[in-house]
Amino acid sequence: IIDDQKKKLKKLKNTYYYNDDLISKNFANATNKLVPGKTYRVKIFPILESVTSVDCMTFLKKQRAILVGGQGVLLANDLKGDEFPVGKWTVSFDEKEALWKDSGGSHGVPLVGRFGDGDREFGLGVFELVWDSDYCLLCFCDK
């Protein structure tokens, strides 16, 4: 899913930036693989105050979220990206161990930024840092 989306997104005029580390190989160990043909319920929750990734994971587990990482944020962007909040970064978590780790030891959390001019950025946040009101949580659940 990720590599197919990358090829498509990099060709679009409104793709301002695409992080080259957001590829299938780096996110192959997703905790949950999305099943083709299956219907999921997807919600986006705003982050209202500064929180850690552990706080975000605790919240997602209370929602009974299915952790899907990069495949989830790119699929949601493809199908319903116009519903992503404008001026925010929509983040798709996975278990820390399932996330890609860069040469400095930071774990990349896939995210999409949607801006008022229609541009989008596809990047990686850092699991080890704090998230604030510039971000929203993407939550996939069984229907």
Side-chain angles (χ1 to χ4, degrees):
I1 290 176
I2 296 174
D3 288 345
D4 292 341
Q5 287 296 312
K6 177 184 176 183
K7 286 178 196 166
K8 178 178 165 184
L9 291 166
K10 284 191 113 176
K11 293 177 186 175
L12 298 177
K13 283 188 258 177
N14 70 338
T15 298
Y16 176 75
Y17 173 77
Y18 191 100
N19 186 313
D20 287 330
D21 292 318
L22 184 53
I23 57 175
S24 294
K25 178 182 136 196
N26 290 346
F27 292 91
N29 296 323
T31 300
N32 297 284
K33 305 273 194 246
L34 293 173
V35 178
K38 182 175 178 179
T39 302
Y40 298 90
R41 189 169 37 98
V42 179
K43 294 181 182 179
I44 296 176
F45 295 96
I47 295 176
L48 303 175
E49 61 187 53
S50 294
V51 293
T52 66
S53 292
V54 172
D55 295 331
C56 293
M57 294 290 288
T58 299
F59 176 82
L60 289 169
K61 287 178 181 177
K62 285 181 183 172
Q63 305 305 312
R64 296 188 177 159
I66 299 168
L67 301 173
V68 293
Q71 60 179 335
V73 76
L74 293 178
L75 180 63
N77 176 75
D78 185 45
L79 298 176
K80 295 285 187 173
D82 291 341
E83 295 180 26
F84 281 21
V86 175
K88 303 280 185 181
W89 295 89
T90 299
V91 182
S92 184
F93 274 92
D94 202 340
E95 296 290 351
K96 184 176 179 180
E97 299 75 30
L99 296 170
W100 171 75
K101 187 163 61 167
D102 69 16
S103 59
S106 297
H107 293 82
V109 183
L111 48 77
V112 174
R114 180 178 178 215
F115 306 102
D117 62 1
D119 283 353
R120 291 180 194 266
E121 289 189 27
F122 300 85
L124 297 170
V126 178
F127 189 91
E128 291 78 9
L129 296 181
V130 172
W131 306 90
D132 60 26
S133 60
D134 289 336
Y135 298 89
C136 296
L137 297 176
L138 185 66
C139 180
F140 274 73
C141 297
D142 280 320
K143 199 160 187 182

